[in-house]
Amino acid sequence: MRVALLGMGSVGRGVLQMIGEKDLGITVTAVADSRSALIDRDGISIEEVLAAKARNGFCGDKAISAMDVVTGSAYDVLVEVTPTNATTGEPALTHMLCALERGRHVVTSNKGPISREFSRLREIAVEKGIQLRYEATVGGAIPIMHTLEQGLAGNRVLAIFGVLNGTCNFILTRMAAEGLTYEQALLEAREMGYAEADPTYDVKGIDPAIKLVILANTFCSHSVSLEDVDITGIDRLTNDALRLAEEQQCTIRLIAEAIPDRGILRVAPRLLPLSHPLVVEGTLNAITIETDMAGEITLIGKGAGSVETASAIIGDLLYIRDTHAGRHSKTA
Ligand code: HSE
């Protein structure tokens, strides 16, 4: 199976590294970053591309662009892991639309286009009989989409509750455990690379709300958008609030919740007993799914990170390899 990869940030490099290390039956025929690209229909050398990126800051030929890769190179699956733009979804949205129109599968970690234009993207994928997979957009390494779509197939999802933002969880954990102020804990989260480029997306609850929209659009029958989510962040939370919670054997977590039957779509700080399954520490994410047949299931795991996110992308790639492989292998 031939893969073209757009985006050579931490996720893109993690995906390349794992494809290079594991024998997955995947040939990478093109890569692109924001300034250059490399195309070779027989397969690029992953080692050389990663070395060139580390050495020069770009991966290939500056005369070739990501759009040249999308429209003119030979691939079965486009892996779109360029930086997220939550407002317009661009340029990732255009990359995905072009690949889908060409009848190519798309795998992505890009939250912008999936949260903003999901119906449009899915419609084209369905019409063309190809796969649009986005496991890596929510919960990092946690296989939440596979669980919802395959593992819990036939179940009615009654509600989803989740800790969907590692940065906020890290801040709340550090404030409660070490008595750090909100500002100190946020600084630490930024220094460790957990936060978004603009950390207000994390602390004001926008990032988990975007992830909630993606989840809701996956399991609800009607489509929702960011404007439908009632959002309160953790940016006004004080150490006193956490201390009071502790006095009651409780703590505070930023919880995203979707309860379709009650019309609830909300992100807000919640008081939870210390023994609650969603009280996870540090940058961990946790998601509880309530269903009619399987009852309650909680998944806990790493919500971000290069190799962790690559795990979700590789899972999607192998799903396509095993269920749709070879569909385009004889075409350009
Ligand atoms: N800033 C995000 C978080 C990264 O902290 O969860 C993963 O989407």
Side-chain angles (χ1 to χ4, degrees):
M1 188 171 76
R2 300 164 309 174
V3 163
L5 180 135
L6 306 185
M8 289 277 291
S10 109
V11 175
R13 294 197 305 275
V15 172
L16 280 182
Q17 191 193 330
M18 290 303 114
I19 292 177
E21 280 177 21
K22 291 169 184 273
D23 184 15
L24 304 173
I26 293 172
T27 304
V28 180
T29 52
V31 291
D33 55 27
S34 57
R35 293 191 291 161
S36 69
L38 187 67
I39 299 175
D40 184 341
R41 59 183 306 133
D42 295 325
I44 60 156
S45 160
I46 289 177
E47 224 171 281
E48 281 172 25
V49 164
L50 288 171
K53 181 75 183 169
R55 201 172 48 241
N56 312 322
F58 54 92
C59 69
D61 186 339
K62 287 184 174 167
I64 315 174
S65 70
M67 270 314 279
D68 293 329
V69 167
V70 178
T71 57
S73 74
Y75 59 92
D76 303 302
V77 188
L78 181 75
V79 174
E80 217 307 331
V81 293
T82 62
T84 281
N85 179 325
T87 317
T88 64
E90 294 294 3
L93 177 60
T94 301
H95 297 156
M96 291 183 198
L97 288 169
C98 287
L100 292 172
E101 289 293 355
R102 279 189 75 189
R104 302 301 190 257
H105 307 290
V106 170
V107 170
T108 190
S109 61
N110 213 313
K111 293 171 269 191
I114 298 296
S115 62
R116 296 213 74 87
E117 296 288 345
F118 183 62
S119 306
R120 185 171 160 205
L121 291 162
R122 185 169 54 181
E123 223 166 81
I124 303 172
V126 169
E127 186 193 308
K128 301 269 179 188
I130 50 177
Q131 288 285 305
L132 166 69
R133 301 200 65 85
Y134 48 94
E135 179 70 77
T137 56
V138 180
I142 299 175
I144 179 65
M145 301 301 171
H146 279 79
T147 302
L148 285 171
E149 288 170 3
Q150 278 88 46
L152 293 173
N155 277 268
R156 196 160 88 82
V157 176
L158 308 173
I160 288 198
F161 302 93
V163 169
L164 302 181
N165 185 270
T167 300
C168 289
N169 211 64
F170 176 83
I171 292 171
L172 294 173
T173 305
R174 295 290 285 153
M175 284 173 74
E178 307 293 335
L180 295 190
T181 63
Y182 164 78
E183 287 78 15
Q184 287 168 328
L186 172 60
L187 187 66
E188 213 175 281
R190 293 191 74 180
E191 280 170 1
M192 296 179 83
Y194 302 139
E196 297 294 304
D198 176 358
T200 54
Y201 273 93
D202 297 290
V203 295
K204 288 194 176 294
I206 299 161
D207 173 75
I210 287 172
K211 291 165 177 165
L212 188 67
V213 165
I214 295 174
L215 277 177
N217 281 335
T218 301
F219 80 85
C220 284
S221 48
H222 60 282
S223 75
V224 300
S225 69
L226 190 57
E227 290 68 37
D228 300 320
V229 188
D230 195 359
I231 310 173
T232 311
I234 61 157
D235 50 331
R236 301 212 174 159
L237 214 80
T238 61
N239 290 78
D240 281 347
L242 281 156
R243 226 181 349 262
L244 283 171
E246 210 176 327
E247 280 171 18
Q248 301 168 57
Q249 283 21 273
C250 288
T251 192
I252 296 172
R253 288 293 180 260
L254 186 66
I255 301 297
E257 53 189 316
I259 312 173
D261 286 354
R262 289 168 53 198
I264 292 175
L265 211 50
R266 179 166 56 203
V267 172
R270 294 268 170 218
L271 187 69
L272 298 175
L274 288 169
S275 58
H276 193 283
L278 293 181
V279 177
V280 289
E281 300 289 305
T283 55
L284 284 176
N285 281 195
I287 307 170
T288 296
I289 313 157
E290 277 182 22
T291 68
D292 60 346
M293 290 194 287
E296 202 174 288
I297 288 177
T298 299
L299 303 173
I300 297 172
K302 292 189 177 161
S306 171
V307 171
E308 291 82 356
T309 309
S311 164
I313 303 253
I314 301 273
D316 279 345
L317 283 173
L318 297 190
Y319 176 84
I320 293 172
R321 184 198 67 184
D322 296 342
T323 54
H324 293 74
R327 189 173 179 275
H328 299 291
S329 50
K330 291 195 179 65
T331 61

